[in-house]
Amino acid sequence: EHYTYVGHRIIIQESIEHFGAVVWPGALALSQYLESNQEQFNLKDKKVLEIGAGTGLLSIVACILGAHVTATDLPEVLENLSYNISRNTQNMNMHKPEVRKLVWGEGLNEDFPVSTYHYDFILATDVVYHHAALDPLLATMVYFCKPGTVLLWANKFRFTTDYEFLEKLSNIFNTTILAEFPESNVKLLKA
């Protein structure tokens, strides 16, 4: 698949083997939003963590916008994620992105100790759908969001569980809807 953001042509290799191996509507929406709102969300030299990075499109866009990016996902997705990020960011004058394993709710303090890791932005797209890992996902978001951290979450709302997750998130964070994309049922939230 080919995409163009911030004047760069991005080529993404998808895979049908895993959920994280296709480009979902939330990634397109948040990539477009970050490109169009660089004054409001200036990523230059900021530390950015993407959870559930999938194919890496959003992490690549964040790199192009000047961020120090750590793209994370499940172990079985990392090979394709690394390939896409490397292919689209090599030979560019930017911070070299990092790809790391992150299983929501597991080993957070061992793999990402609070004393060492602080992020300005947490990015998440289409991480909420009908699955059993919603509580560990919320715990992971809470773990990484320190005072001053901005969570940007874009999601295609499909199921009642999506709205239930939004309600839980809103009980913990000060949450605002930044944009809605009715053609794809995607909501973009800032927390």
Side-chain angles (χ1 to χ4, degrees), residues 103-132:
V103 179
W104 299 333
E106 292 182 19
L108 298 175
N109 206 32
E110 293 81 42
D111 297 336
F112 296 90
V114 175
S115 57
T116 312
Y117 292 91
H118 178 272
Y119 296 96
D120 301 298
F121 290 93
I122 308 298
L123 307 180
T125 61
D126 286 311
V127 290
V128 176
Y129 48 91
H130 199 65
H131 62 72

Side-chain angles (χ1 to χ4, degrees), residues 53-181:
T55 60
L57 175 65
L58 180 59
S59 285
I60 294 163
V61 171
C63 278
I64 293 168
L65 291 169
H68 294 270
V69 175
T70 302
T72 65
D73 213 313
L74 296 169
E76 61 268 22
V77 178
L78 295 183
E79 187 178 337
N80 191 53
L81 173 60
S82 295
Y83 173 77
N84 283 329
I85 287 181
S86 169
R87 168 189 205 171
N88 288 285
T89 61
Q90 64 187 4
N91 306 323
M92 287 185 155
N93 187 14
M94 61 177 69
H95 305 293
K96 184 162 174 32
E98 187 181 5
V99 175
R100 302 220 13 217
K101 173 191 84 148
L102 175 62
V103 179
W104 299 333
E106 292 182 19
L108 298 175
N109 206 32
E110 293 81 42
D111 297 336
F112 296 90
V114 175
S115 57
T116 312
Y117 292 91
H118 178 272
Y119 296 96
D120 301 298
F121 290 93
I122 308 298
L123 307 180
T125 61
D126 286 311
V127 290
V128 176
Y129 48 91
H130 199 65
H131 62 72
L134 293 178
D135 288 337
L137 170 61
L138 186 58
T140 300
M141 289 174 163
V142 169
Y143 178 82
F144 283 113
C145 286
K146 304 297 170 229
T149 302
V150 174
L151 169 66
L152 296 175
W153 168 45
N155 215 87
K156 179 171 182 166
F157 279 71
R158 305 169 180 89
F159 309 109
T160 55
T161 48
D162 302 348
Y163 291 97
E164 290 164 7
F165 184 87
L166 173 57
E167 192 175 322
K168 285 182 180 177
L169 187 79
S170 299
N171 288 336
I172 298 171
F173 293 100
N174 179 4
T175 308
T176 315
I177 294 181
L178 289 177
E180 295 193 55
F181 302 82

Side-chain angles (χ1 to χ4, degrees), residues 6-18:
V6 203
H8 289 78
R9 184 166 185 225
I10 300 169
I11 301 168
I12 297 292
Q13 173 178 285
E14 294 185 330
S15 157
I16 54 168
E17 287 142 38
H18 307 289

